[in-house]
Amino acid sequence: QPQKNRQWRKFLSTVWEIKFSHDTKKVIHSIKVGIALVLVSLLYLIDPLFKQVGENAMWAIMTVVVVFEFYAGAMLSKGINRGIGTIVGGALGCLAAILADDCGKIGNAIIVAVSVFSFGTMATYFRMVPSIKKRYDYGVMIFILTFNLVVVSGLRADTVLMLARQRLSTIGMGFAVCIFINLLIFPMWASDELHDNTSSKFHKLASSIEGCLDEYFGKAEGDKENQHKVYLSGCKSVLHSKSTDESLANFSKWEPWHGKFGIMYPWGKYLEIGEILRELATIILALKGCINSSRQPSQSSRQSIRESCEIVGLSLAKMLRELGESILKMRKSRARVLMSPKLQSLKQDLNLHQKIKSLENEENIGVISFLFLFTEIVEK
Amino acid sequence: QPQKNRQWRKFLSTVWEIKFSHDTKKVIHSIKVGIALVLVSLLYLIDPLFKQVGENAMWAIMTVVVVFEFYAGAMLSKGINRGIGTIVGGALGCLAAILADDCGKIGNAIIVAVSVFSFGTMATYFRMVPSIKKRYDYGVMIFILTFNLVVVSGLRADTVLMLARQRLSTIGMGFAVCIFINLLIFPMWASDELHDNTSSKFHKLASSIEGCLDEYFGKAEGDKENQHKVYLSGCKSVLHSKSTDESLANFSKWEPWHGKFGIMYPWGKYLEIGEILRELATIILALKGCINSSRQPSQSSRQSIRESCEIVGLSLAKMLRELGESILKMRKSRARVLMSPKLQSLKQDLNLHQKIKSLENEENIGVISFLFLFTEIVEK
C-alpha cells in the first residue's frame, strides 16, 4: 500500500516536473488569457460600466480574444494593426456614407455597393503583396471589415460617427487590458526566444559534428540507431528553422525596449546568422550522407585518419559551443583573436590528409563557411 | 506621334501580359472578394431582407471578410471551423447562462466569471497543442469568442437562444456566399498548387544539377554570376519549401473531390516526396560548395573526368525531369523499367573514376538517394 502510494506520488511529481519545465510558459499564457477575459467581461458584469458602454462591450471581448497572442511582439503588432485598420476603415467608411447620403435612395445603394466592391477588391489585392502580407496583413483585413460595416450601416444608423467612436473606445479598452496583462505578468518576449534559439542552434550543430565523428570512427555503442536520430534531428531542425526565425524576428521588431535589448536592435543580423548556420547544417547533413555511403573504406583504414579528424571536428564543435555561449551572454567573443589563427592551422592539418578521403574535403568546407560565419558574428 | 502611340500600346500590352501571367490569380481572387462583399451587403441594402435579419447582418459581413481565403481548402477549413466553434461555444454558453440564471444577482456574476476564466484558460491551452493548432486553431478561437459573448450577454438579454439562432443563420448565409463565389468562379485549389509545386521541384533540381556541371567544367559564359544565382535560388527554394508544403497539404485535405483528385487522395505522399527532394537539394548544395572550394584542381585536370560526369549528371537531370513530368500528368512512369538498370550502370561508370575526385562521391550519393526517391514514387 505505501509502495503504491509512493509510486503514485512519484508519478504526480514527474508529471508536475514535465509540465513545469516544458509547458510552464503555455500554462502561464493560458491563465493570462483567462484573467484578461474575466477583466474584460467586467464591462458587462458591473452595472455602471455597462450603462456607459452598452452592447459595444462586445468589441472589447472580441479584441481580447483575437489579439491576445503568445509573444508580446505578436500581440503588439496585431493590436496596433487592428487599431489603425479600424481607424482608417472607419474614417473612409464615414466619408463614403456621408457622400452616399446626399443622393437619393437608389443612388445611395449604388454608391455603397460600388465603394464596397472597389475598396474590397483593392485592399484584398494589397493584402497579397508579400511585403504588406508579412507585417500588415491583419491590419488590412480589419480595414476591409470596418469599412464595410460602417459604410453599410451608415444607411441605417444616423449616428454612425458616435457608433464608430464608441466601438473604437471599447476596442481601446480591450487592447489596454491585453497590454496590461501580457506585458506586466510574466511577459514572453519573442526576442528572448529568437536569441536563445540562435544560441542553441550552435550547440545543436556542435553535437551533430561530434555525432558524425563518433559514428564514423565507431565509438558509439548501445542503441546507435537512436542516438543517430537525435543528432540528425537537431541538424534538421536547424535546417528548417527559416520560417520560425522570420516570424520571431518580425515580432521582435514590434517589441519595445526591454531587458538586454535596446531600441533598434539589429534583428536582421540574427536572420543572417541563421542563414549561415543553415548552410553549415546542409554541409553536415551531406557529410552524414558520405558517412553512410556503402563505398566507405573498412574500419581499419579509417583509423589512419582518425586522429587528425577528431582534432579538427572536436575543436570545431568546441568553437561552435563557445560562439553559442558568447551570443547567449552577449559578450564580444574574447576568443576571436585566438580562433582565427587556430582555424588556419586546422585547415593546414587537413590539407596534409587531403588526398585520403572526401570526408576531409567536406569538413574543410565546413571550416571555410565557419570562417564566413565568424566574421559575420564579429561584425555585430 | 504614331510611334509614340505604338510604344504606349506596347507598354500597355506588356503590363497586361505580366499581370495576366503572374498576378492573374491574385486579381481574380480580389475580384471574387469584392463580389462576395457586395452580395453580402445586400442583406443591408435590400429592405425586406434587412427586416428579416436586422443588425445581425453584421455577422454575415464579418464571416465573409474573415473566411474568404485564397485557396478553396483554406476557406472550407476556416468556415467549418468557424461554424463548429460557434455552435459548440454557443451551446455551452447557453448552458452556463441558464445555470447562472438560477442563482441570485451576485451568484450569477460569480458563476459567469468563473466559467469565463476556466473555459478561456482550458481552451487557450488546448489551442497550443501542436496537433490541434495545425488544423483546429481557428475553431477553438471562435469557440472562446462565442462562449464568452453568449455567457456574458446571457445576463442582459433574455432572448439569448433566439439571438444565437439568428447569428448562426447569418453566419451560415455569409459562408454560403463564400462557398458559392469561391468554388464556382475560378476556384483555386490548394491541391493543384501542391501538385504543380511538387512537379516543378523536380525541374528545379534538374536545372541545378546542370548548372553545377556547367560551372565546374567552365561551359557557362557571359554573366556567370547571375546564372549561378538563378539555379542556386531554385535549389534553396526547394530546401525551404517545408512549411509551404505542409500548409498546402493541410488545406488539400479539406478540399472535396474535384478534377483529377479523388477522395482520400494520399496527400501524405506528397510530403514524403518533398522530404526526399529536400534531401537531394541538400546534397546538391553541398556539391555546390565543393565546386566553389579553393582547393579544386585546375581546369585542365578537370577535363579528364568531364565526359563521365556529364553523362551521369545530364542523365540524372533528364530522369528528374521525366519524373516531374510523369507526376504532373499522373501517369505511372512508364520509364520505370528502363531507369533502374540505367542508374545501376551509371553508378558503375562512376565507380571507375571514384578515386579521382570527391565530386563523384557526392553525385553518387545523389544517385543513391535518387533510388530511394524513385521507389517511393513508384509505390504511389
Side-chain angles (χ1 to χ4, degrees):
Chain A
Q1 194 64 24
Q3 168 102 46
K4 210 173 180 185
N5 213 343
R6 210 180 309 141
Q7 269 188 355
W8 182 238
R9 216 177 274 167
K10 203 174 163 193
F11 170 75
L12 269 187
S13 77
T14 322
V15 167
W16 179 246
E17 250 171 52
I18 291 173
K19 278 262 170 294
F20 213 78
S21 61
H22 183 249
D23 286 348
T24 337
K25 282 189 178 174
K26 287 186 183 174
V27 171
I28 290 178
H29 173 69
S30 304
I31 293 173
K32 277 157 69 180
V33 172
I35 296 173
L37 285 176
V38 170
L39 274 185
V40 90
S41 298
L42 290 181
L43 282 179
Y44 270 94
L45 296 177
I46 298 176
D47 273 329
L49 281 179
F50 187 74
K51 269 175 200 139
Q52 282 247 308
V53 294
E55 275 300 321
N56 283 315
M58 186 180 80
W59 292 92
I61 293 182
M62 216 176 273
T63 305
V64 170
V65 173
V66 173
V67 161
F68 209 102
E69 291 271 338
F70 191 78
Y71 292 114
M75 193 203 66
L76 287 175
S77 124
K78 256 194 155 174
I80 293 169
N81 263 312
R82 192 181 176 93
I84 293 174
T86 308
I87 292 171
V88 175
L92 279 179
C94 279
L95 268 183
I98 291 165
L99 212 82
D101 219 28
D102 291 341
C103 316
K105 179 84 188 150
I106 304 285
N108 194 332
I110 289 173
I111 288 182
V112 167
V114 168
S115 70
V116 162
F117 178 79
S118 53
F119 274 90
T121 305
M122 278 190 301
T124 307
Y125 186 78
F126 204 56
R127 258 181 97 180
M128 287 182 291
V129 176
S131 58
I132 304 283
K133 191 179 175 60
K134 212 167 137 197
R135 298 194 71 175
Y136 307 108
D137 184 48
Y138 187 69
V140 178
M141 194 181 88
I142 293 294
F143 164 78
I144 302 177
L145 180 61
T146 317
F147 177 81
N148 267 32
L149 287 181
V150 169
V151 80
V152 149
S153 59
L155 286 170
R156 302 283 160 185
D158 298 329
T159 51
V160 75
L161 265 174
M162 206 194 68
L163 199 76
R165 203 177 47 78
Q166 279 181 349
R167 272 192 197 164
L168 210 59
S169 69
T170 46
I171 288 176
M173 283 176 217
F175 192 38
V177 168
C178 284
I179 289 182
F180 182 75
I181 302 279
N182 202 341
L183 299 195
L184 295 190
I185 306 178
F186 294 109
M188 329 265 190
W189 303 105
S191 27
D192 282 343
E193 185 79 17
L194 181 60
H195 189 75
D196 295 350
N197 270 358
T198 304
S199 154
S200 78
K201 269 185 217 162
F202 281 93
H203 290 279
K204 276 181 191 162
L205 289 184
S207 41
S208 309
I209 290 177
E210 286 167 359
C212 278
L213 284 176
D214 283 357
E215 193 187 342
Y216 195 61
F217 299 114
K219 251 201 283 187
E221 285 139 32
D223 48 349
K224 202 173 166 181
E225 193 55 35
N226 200 10
Q227 205 188 12
H228 166 99
K229 264 182 197 153
V230 168
Y231 76 77
L232 202 63
S233 75
C235 212
K236 278 202 174 162
S237 75
V238 172
L239 197 63
H240 295 140
S241 59
K242 190 183 171 80
S243 56
T244 320
D245 278 9
E246 272 174 4
S247 65
L248 281 179
N250 193 9
F251 296 150
S252 299
K253 282 179 197 150
W254 290 94
E255 285 176 359
W257 181 89
H258 70 278
K260 47 193 181 245
F261 308 107
I263 306 168
M264 303 294 288
Y265 195 77
W267 298 114
K269 283 277 178 232
Y270 280 90
L271 293 185
E272 283 167 28
I273 293 175
E275 197 60 46
I276 293 164
L277 286 179
R278 274 190 287 280
E279 269 168 32
L280 192 55
T282 309
I283 292 163
I284 292 175
L285 277 180
L287 173 62
K288 196 74 220 46
C290 271
I291 287 175
N292 283 345
S293 161
S294 52
R295 297 190 293 91
Q296 288 288 352
S298 68
Q299 198 66 35
S300 57
S301 60
R302 291 179 191 183
Q303 298 301 325
S304 64
I305 55 161
R306 176 169 178 166
E307 200 182 344
S308 73
C309 272
E310 279 189 346
I311 291 175
V312 173
L314 292 181
S315 49
L316 254 180
K318 198 174 152 228
M319 273 185 242
L320 278 174
R321 277 185 217 281
E322 263 174 35
L323 278 175
E325 220 35 55
S326 72
I327 280 191
L328 185 66
K329 292 184 179 147
M330 297 184 85
R331 44 176 167 67
K332 267 253 191 273
S333 51
R334 171 192 49 76
R336 175 193 173 185
V337 200
L338 294 171
M339 275 186 197
S340 278
K342 212 169 165 189
L343 278 175
Q344 290 300 337
S345 69
L346 281 180
K347 258 172 88 173
Q348 277 178 355
D349 267 16
L350 276 182
N351 271 327
L352 297 178
H353 294 271
Q354 188 197 339
K355 277 128 212 155
I356 306 182
K357 265 209 32 26
S358 68
L359 174 65
E360 255 65 4
N361 196 9
E362 280 310 309
E363 213 142 287
N364 208 337
I365 296 165
V367 174
I368 292 166
S369 106
F370 187 70
L371 269 174
F372 279 156
L373 163 79
F374 194 68
T375 49
E376 202 69 34
I377 292 161
V378 168
E379 234 165 52
K380 209 181 70 180
Chain B
Q1 192 62 25
Q3 168 104 45
K4 210 174 181 184
N5 211 344
R6 211 181 307 142
Q7 269 189 354
W8 182 238
R9 217 177 273 167
K10 202 175 162 190
F11 172 74
L12 268 187
S13 76
T14 323
V15 166
W16 179 245
E17 250 171 54
I18 291 172
K19 277 263 168 294
F20 214 77
S21 61
H22 184 249
D23 286 347
T24 339
K25 282 189 178 176
K26 287 187 185 174
V27 171
I28 290 179
H29 174 69
S30 305
I31 293 174
K32 275 158 69 179
V33 172
I35 296 174
L37 285 176
V38 170
L39 274 185
V40 89
S41 298
L42 290 182
L43 283 180
Y44 270 94
L45 296 177
I46 298 178
D47 273 327
L49 282 178
F50 186 74
K51 270 175 199 140
Q52 282 247 309
V53 295
E55 276 299 323
N56 283 315
M58 187 181 80
W59 291 93
I61 293 182
M62 217 177 271
T63 305
V64 170
V65 173
V66 172
V67 161
F68 210 101
E69 290 272 338
F70 191 77
Y71 293 115
M75 193 204 65
L76 286 175
S77 124
K78 255 195 157 175
I80 292 170
N81 264 313
R82 190 179 178 96
I84 293 175
T86 309
I87 292 172
V88 176
L92 280 179
C94 278
L95 269 183
I98 291 167
L99 211 82
D101 219 27
D102 291 342
C103 316
K105 179 83 188 152
I106 304 285
N108 194 330
I110 289 174
I111 288 183
V112 167
V114 167
S115 69
V116 162
F117 177 78
S118 51
F119 274 91
T121 306
M122 280 191 300
T124 307
Y125 186 78
F126 204 56
R127 257 181 98 179
M128 287 182 292
V129 175
S131 57
I132 304 284
K133 192 178 174 61
K134 213 167 136 196
R135 297 193 71 178
Y136 308 108
D137 184 49
Y138 187 68
V140 179
M141 193 182 88
I142 293 294
F143 164 79
I144 302 177
L145 180 61
T146 316
F147 178 81
N148 266 31
L149 287 182
V150 169
V151 80
V152 148
S153 60
L155 285 170
R156 301 283 162 189
D158 297 327
T159 52
V160 75
L161 265 173
M162 206 194 69
L163 199 76
R165 202 175 49 76
Q166 278 181 350
R167 271 191 198 165
L168 211 59
S169 69
T170 46
I171 288 177
M173 282 177 219
F175 192 39
V177 168
C178 285
I179 288 184
F180 182 75
I181 302 279
N182 202 339
L183 299 195
L184 294 190
I185 306 177
F186 294 108
M188 329 266 190
W189 303 106
S191 26
D192 282 343
E193 185 80 16
L194 180 60
H195 188 75
D196 295 350
N197 271 358
T198 304
S199 153
S200 79
K201 270 185 214 160
F202 281 94
H203 291 278
K204 277 179 191 162
L205 290 184
S207 42
S208 311
I209 290 178
E210 286 166 359
C212 278
L213 284 177
D214 283 357
E215 192 186 343
Y216 195 62
F217 298 113
K219 251 201 283 187
E221 286 139 31
D223 49 350
K224 202 173 166 181
E225 194 55 35
N226 200 12
Q227 204 188 13
H228 167 97
K229 263 181 197 154
V230 169
Y231 76 79
L232 202 63
S233 76
C235 211
K236 279 202 173 163
S237 75
V238 173
L239 198 63
H240 295 140
S241 60
K242 191 183 170 77
S243 56
T244 319
D245 278 8
E246 271 175 4
S247 66
L248 281 180
N250 193 9
F251 296 150
S252 298
K253 282 179 197 149
W254 289 94
E255 285 176 358
W257 180 89
H258 71 278
K260 45 191 183 247
F261 307 107
I263 306 167
M264 304 294 288
Y265 195 76
W267 298 113
K269 283 277 177 231
Y270 281 91
L271 293 184
E272 284 168 28
I273 293 175
E275 197 60 46
I276 292 165
L277 286 178
R278 275 189 287 279
E279 270 169 32
L280 191 56
T282 310
I283 292 164
I284 292 175
L285 278 179
L287 172 62
K288 195 75 221 44
C290 271
I291 288 175
N292 284 346
S293 160
S294 53
R295 296 190 294 92
Q296 287 290 353
S298 69
Q299 198 67 35
S300 57
S301 59
R302 289 181 192 183
Q303 298 302 325
S304 64
I305 55 161
R306 176 170 181 167
E307 199 182 345
S308 73
C309 273
E310 279 190 345
I311 290 175
V312 174
L314 292 181
S315 47
L316 254 181
K318 198 174 151 228
M319 273 185 245
L320 278 174
R321 276 186 217 282
E322 263 174 34
L323 277 176
E325 223 32 58
S326 72
I327 279 191
L328 186 64
K329 292 184 181 148
M330 297 184 84
R331 45 176 166 67
K332 268 254 190 277
S333 51
R334 174 189 48 75
R336 174 194 174 185
V337 198
L338 295 170
M339 276 184 195
S340 277
K342 212 168 166 187
L343 280 174
Q344 291 301 336
S345 69
L346 282 180
K347 260 172 85 175
Q348 278 179 353
D349 269 16
L350 277 182
N351 271 327
L352 297 176
H353 293 270
Q354 188 196 339
K355 277 128 214 159
I356 305 180
K357 265 209 33 25
S358 66
L359 173 66
E360 255 66 6
N361 196 9
E362 278 311 309
E363 213 142 288
N364 209 338
I365 295 165
V367 174
I368 291 166
S369 105
F370 188 69
L371 269 174
F372 279 156
L373 164 78
F374 194 68
T375 51
E376 203 68 36
I377 291 161
V378 169
E379 235 167 50
K380 210 179 70 177

